[in-house]
């Protein structure tokens, strides 16, 4: 085991550069993450003029599992940006480690700024249960933002079929409300293959909370959860 330096200095500092105390580095990194998060929130709201529509529930700060449709890498940012401040502090998006767990800026944003719950989406070689990881975050008092389609929907379908993870999460933590959130228009703000957002008004529509009913099957629950999300879509009766 490598010897831990007693000076509290960063042992990885480049040669010839005075190492900073680890505690100072941590404080600087947290401050930078906080400023970055604030800047991202302001930018997201300026570009999208996003408005929350609390249609089936109140904007409270309690623990919840928010589940939404998924068309863009910015989906969780839009939901996070409109949550009440107390809820926003403890809301963590569930994201793919293959995308947000890399190196550089993307990792900093995923880990330091948004404290995402990273999961391995590849079954082969996976040694950590994603449901256990998410349940651990809930047990720590956090809320989750999840996308039960499992990946971005780049098809012409309104929603992809839901993966079973939402059912298993509801089964292992049945006392936590699941709140459907329909994100409207963000796929037009960030079209596939584009890097510059198109300013358009977006909306996040929050529906009534639901929980797994006693004895409810996986198929019935996922159908009910999916219908609850579709019911929030504007003009859904004409489009379903």
């Amino acid at each position: 085991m490598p010897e831990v330096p007693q000076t509290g200095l960063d042992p990885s500092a480049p040669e010839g550069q005075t190492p900073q105390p680890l505690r100072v580095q941590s404080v600087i990194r947290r401050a930078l993450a906080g400023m970055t998060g604030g800047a991202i929130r302001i930018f997201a709201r300026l570009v999208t003029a996003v408005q929350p529509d609390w249609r089936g529930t109140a904007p409270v700060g309690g623990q919840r599992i928010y589940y939404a449709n998924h068309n863009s890498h910015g989906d969780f940012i839009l939901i996070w940006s409109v949550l009440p401040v107390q809820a926003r502090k403890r809301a963590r998006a569930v994201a793919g480690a293959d995308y947000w767990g890399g190196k550089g800026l993307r990792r900093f944003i995923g880990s330091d700024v948004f404290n995402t719950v990273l999961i391995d989406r590849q079954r082969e070689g996976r040694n950590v249960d994603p449901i256990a990881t998410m349940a651990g975050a809930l047990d720590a008092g956090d809320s989750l933002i999840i996308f039960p389609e499992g990946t971005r929907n780049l098809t012409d379908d309104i929603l992809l079929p839901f993966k079973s993870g939402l059912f298993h999460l509801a089964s292992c933590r049945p006392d936590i409300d699941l709140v459907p959130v329909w994100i409207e228009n963000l796929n037009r703000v960030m079209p596939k293959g584009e890097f510059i957002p198109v300013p358009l008004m977006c909306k996040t529509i929050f529906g009534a909370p639901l929980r797994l009913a006693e004895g409810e099957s996986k198929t019935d629950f996922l159908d009910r959860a999916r219908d609850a999300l579709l019911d929030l879509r504007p003009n859904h009766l004409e489009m379903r």
Side-chain angles (χ1 to χ4, degrees):
M1 177 180 297
E3 182 179 355
V4 177
Q6 300 301 311
T7 60
L9 301 180
D10 182 4
S12 64
E15 186 177 353
Q17 179 177 322
T18 302
Q20 292 181 304
L22 294 175
R23 182 174 298 178
V24 173
Q25 285 192 348
S26 178
V27 170
I28 293 173
R29 193 175 184 92
R30 287 200 301 270
L32 182 59
M35 289 187 293
T36 303
I40 290 174
R41 181 172 182 266
I42 291 171
F43 178 76
R45 301 203 69 164
L46 284 175
V47 171
T48 66
V50 61
Q51 295 296 320
D53 181 354
W54 298 90
R55 185 171 300 179
T57 186
V60 297
Q63 187 181 38
R64 288 172 161 180
I65 300 169
Y66 301 94
Y67 71 95
N69 55 313
H70 194 20
N71 299 109
S72 163
H73 287 305
D75 288 335
F76 79 83
I77 295 175
L78 217 60
I79 296 174
W80 173 84
S81 72
V82 300
L83 292 177
V85 60
Q86 292 303 319
R88 192 165 64 244
K89 289 179 179 179
R90 299 306 301 264
R92 303 175 63 188
V94 176
D98 54 307
Y99 186 83
W100 292 103
K103 297 180 180 179
L105 180 62
R106 191 180 295 173
R107 181 179 181 85
F108 173 73
I109 291 174
S111 298
D112 292 80
V113 177
F114 294 111
N115 192 25
T116 53
V117 179
L118 297 178
I119 60 171
D120 187 351
R121 293 184 291 188
Q122 303 299 322
R123 290 179 178 272
E124 295 183 8
R126 186 167 63 193
N127 53 16
V128 178
D129 180 10
I131 302 301
T133 301
M134 289 186 278
L138 293 172
D139 293 342
D142 296 325
S143 293
L144 297 179
I145 301 171
I146 66 176
F147 301 97
E149 293 169 280
T151 187
R152 289 182 299 155
N153 182 4
L154 302 178
T155 73
D156 293 329
D157 294 333
I158 298 174
L159 276 179
L160 298 176
F162 277 12
K163 303 294 185 181
S164 60
L166 187 68
F167 170 77
H168 294 305
L169 192 59
S171 299
C172 70
R173 298 297 181 270
D175 296 331
I176 298 179
D177 286 339
L178 291 93
V179 177
V181 187
W182 184 265
I183 303 172
E184 182 69 11
N185 252 2
L186 189 57
N187 59 320
R188 296 171 61 194
V189 172
M190 288 292 293
K192 182 181 178 182
E194 298 294 332
F195 296 96
I196 300 176
V198 179
L200 284 173
M201 183 174 291
C202 294
K203 182 180 286 188
T204 51
I205 306 171
F206 294 77
L210 56 90
R211 295 184 180 185
L212 179 67
E214 185 176 354
E216 188 173 21
S217 70
K218 178 175 70 174
T219 298
D220 289 345
F221 172 77
L222 292 179
D223 285 346
R224 182 164 64 92
R226 189 175 186 275
D227 287 343
L229 186 56
L230 284 171
D231 285 344
L232 300 176
R233 179 182 168 92
N235 303 318
H236 70 94
L237 291 178
E238 290 81 5
M239 297 182 179
R240 281 178 61 177

